[in-house]
Amino acid sequence: QAVVTQEPSLTVSPGGTVTLTCGSSTGAVTSGHYPYWFQQKPGQAPRTLIYDTSNKYSWTPARFSGSLLGGKGALTLSGAQPEDEAEYYCLLSYSGAYVFGTGTKLTVL
Amino acid sequence: EVHLVESGGGLVQPGGSLRLSCAASGFTFSSYSMTWVRQAPGKGLEWISYINSGSSAIFYADSVKGRFTISRDNAWNSLYLQMNGLRDEDTAVYYCARGGSGSSWFEFWGQGTLVTVSS
C-alpha cells in the first residue's frame, strides 16, 4: 500500500501564507490521484475543503486553494486566520483504494 | 440539510463482532456513494471501505479486507459496516461520509461512533 506523506507541523503568522504538501511513495502526485484536503479541529469530525486537486465546496473559505506543485499535491492558505489552526490531512486515490496522508498540524501564531 | 448519524459502537472483546450503522437524512440516499473512515485515538485518519450508490462497486483497505463488510439499504436510507474478528488495533472512532457529484467522494461527514476492542 502506498504511503502518503505530509509535513508533521507548520507554523504561519496571522495574515500570512503557508503551503502544505502531500507526497506519494509511488512517485509524483498527479490529477489522477484526485487529491483531497481535509481540516480537522480537536474533538470534531473532519471537514472536506478541497477535492479533485483544486475544487472547492460552498463552505470552503476563499483563502484556501489546492494545486499540484513539484510532483506533490498542495494546499495553500493565503491570509491565515486564528480559526485555521487545525490538523490538515490530504488523501490520494489509487485505483479504488484511498490513502490518507500522515497529517500536518498547522499553528497560527 | 444533509445529516449522517453513526451508531452501534461500543466495547467488544478481541475476536468479537460489531455492526455499525449510519442513518442518512436530508438527501436522496440512493443517489450517492458512501464511505467508512476511522481514526484511532490520537492518530490520523484511515480510509477503510467504499460502496457506490447501487452497491455494484465495493472496495476495502487491506487492513480490514476479509473481516469487515460494507453494505447499504437504500430503502431504509442506511449504511452498514459489519465488523468481525475485531482486533485491538481496530479501536477507533468510525465515521461515515457521503460522496457528492463526479469525483467528490467525501463531501459530508457524520460525527462518528467509538469502537473499543479490549478484554
Side-chain angles (χ1 to χ4, degrees), chain A residues 1 34 36 38 40 43-48 51-52 57 59 89 91 93 96-101, chain B residues 37 39 43-47 50 59-63 95 101 103-111:
Chain A
Q1 176 175 296
Y34 303 95
Y36 278 71
F38 307 86
Q40 188 178 34
Q44 295 184 16
R47 180 174 73 147
T48 312
Y51 71 98
D52 195 1
Y57 294 102
W59 54 82
Y89 294 93
L91 174 141
S93 172
Y98 305 94
V99 182
F100 280 94
Chain B
V37 173
Q39 186 169 35
K43 302 297 184 181
L45 300 171
E46 180 187 14
W47 169 78
Y50 163 95
F59 304 110
Y60 298 98
D62 289 344
S63 59
Y95 297 100
S101 59
S103 55
S104 171
W105 299 306
F106 302 84
E107 187 170 8
F108 293 101
W109 294 72
Q111 286 304 304

Side-chain angles (χ1 to χ4, degrees), chain B residues 9 25-26 31 42-43 45 48 55 72 78 80 85-86 94 100 109 113 116:
Chain B
S25 60
S31 296
K43 302 297 184 181
L45 300 171
I48 55 173
S55 304
R72 63 190 296 161
S78 292
Y80 305 103
L86 284 162
Y94 285 72
W109 294 72
T113 186
T116 302

